[in-house]
Amino acid sequence: MRHHGRMHAQPGVGLRPDAPWGYLPASSFRSRRSALSDAQRQTWERLWPQLGRQADTGETLDTPLDTPLDTQAWFGRSAPLVLEIGCGSGTSTLAMAQAEPDIDVIAVEIYRRGLAQLLCAIDAEQVGNIRLIRGNGVDVLKDLIAPQSLTGVRVFFPDPWPKARHHKRRLLQTGTVSLIADRLLPGGVLHAATDHPGYAEHIGAVGDAEPRLVRADPDSESLPISISRPTTKYETKAQEAGSHVCEFVWKRI
């Protein structure tokens, strides 16, 4: 099941004893296959070689990623860079990129159909500052993003894995937050949102425990990226069902 653009990992955690972030969520995903419409497939075939890359999902790589990722060459300019992990069908991605044309956005998602929907929207709206990666966000951060290179990281409505025995599969763990902090520039922003109260408590605790991050107050300080995001149809349904959305904004010191 997928909800709010959530990414579902297979069980287990990875251990990187040679890295300061140590434990990370599992990097293996069960890729869900879903057919594209004719229009989506045609757009994919036309634009994916230019706008998309595929990290290792355990499948044949049609357009493999170079390591490390040369974002200036990919976008054709030097601009502040935001990484969005788990973009779903890209509703928020598109709107936020349109609102900030001077910022480049890399949207990471495991599911091809969601990326195809975003690709079609990019084509229809002629948005030039979004690129797509099909793969696992943790692997992208770890292997393809240089330290202190991101102006922002966005994680909206990651899978809460509500059962206690599954909490270790959650994306925003101590290790992942440490890795995000490592990839942020000084002053860079981590913006997260969830509608699950238990996960909200967990996210707040691990974010506040990261020594390189401090809570930001968007009402009283200037931030390098906007934290204004549209309300998606999934979020609207959650709110109608009584769920409260918690927003978190941290800044790297």
Side-chain angles (χ1 to χ4, degrees), residues 9-24:
Q10 289 182 9
V13 292
L15 175 61
R16 284 291 304 276
D18 60 324
W21 41 84
Y23 287 96
L24 294 172

Side-chain angles (χ1 to χ4, degrees), residues 177 190 200-216 248-251:
V177 171
L190 167 58
E201 183 177 355
H202 174 85
I203 291 171
V206 296
D208 290 341
E210 168 52 51
R212 289 166 292 182
L213 298 179
V214 294
R215 293 265 189 155
F248 300 91
V249 183
W250 286 278
K251 181 174 63 176

Side-chain angles (χ1 to χ4, degrees), residues 23 76-77 81 95 116 143 155 165-166 172 191 219-221 240 244 252:
Y23 287 96
R77 66 176 185 176
L81 185 65
D143 299 328
V155 185
R165 68 177 183 272
H166 295 157
L172 291 175
H191 180 194
D219 295 328
S220 63
E221 60 184 302
E240 290 173 350
H244 173 68
R252 172 161 174 171

Side-chain angles (χ1 to χ4, degrees), residues 91-190:
T91 302
S92 298
T93 312
L94 185 75
M96 297 178 84
Q98 287 177 305
E100 296 182 301
D102 295 330
I103 290 178
D104 290 336
V105 178
I106 295 177
V108 182
E109 176 57 57
I110 195 70
Y111 297 115
R112 188 176 183 227
R113 189 168 185 177
L115 290 171
Q117 290 176 298
L118 177 54
L119 201 59
C120 288
I122 290 170
D123 188 37
E125 299 290 334
Q126 291 296 290
V127 179
N129 60 328
I130 302 175
R131 299 293 183 268
L132 314 175
I133 297 178
R134 186 179 181 213
N136 175 9
V138 172
D139 288 342
V140 172
L141 277 166
K142 179 166 57 69
D143 299 328
L144 300 172
I145 303 297
Q148 298 192 37
S149 63
L150 297 174
T151 301
V153 174
R154 290 169 175 152
V155 185
F156 299 149
F157 304 102
D159 194 303
W161 292 107
K163 294 181 179 180
R165 68 177 183 272
H166 295 157
H167 285 180
K168 62 186 178 182
R169 307 184 195 182
R170 289 173 168 175
L171 172 67
L172 291 175
Q173 305 277 9
T174 299
T176 314
V177 171
S178 177
L179 178 57
I180 289 171
D182 183 77
R183 291 341 190 212
L184 285 172
L185 287 158
V189 169
L190 167 58

Side-chain angles (χ1 to χ4, degrees), residues 69-79 104:
L69 189 61
D70 186 345
T71 58
Q72 291 189 24
W74 199 9
F75 284 92
R77 66 176 185 176
S78 177
D104 290 336

Side-chain angles (χ1 to χ4, degrees), residues 224-245:
I225 62 172
S226 173
I227 62 162
S228 176
R229 58 177 185 82
T231 301
T232 68
K233 62 180 181 181
Y234 302 105
E235 185 177 347
T236 299
K237 289 180 180 178
Q239 290 174 336
E240 290 173 350
S243 296
H244 173 68
V245 175

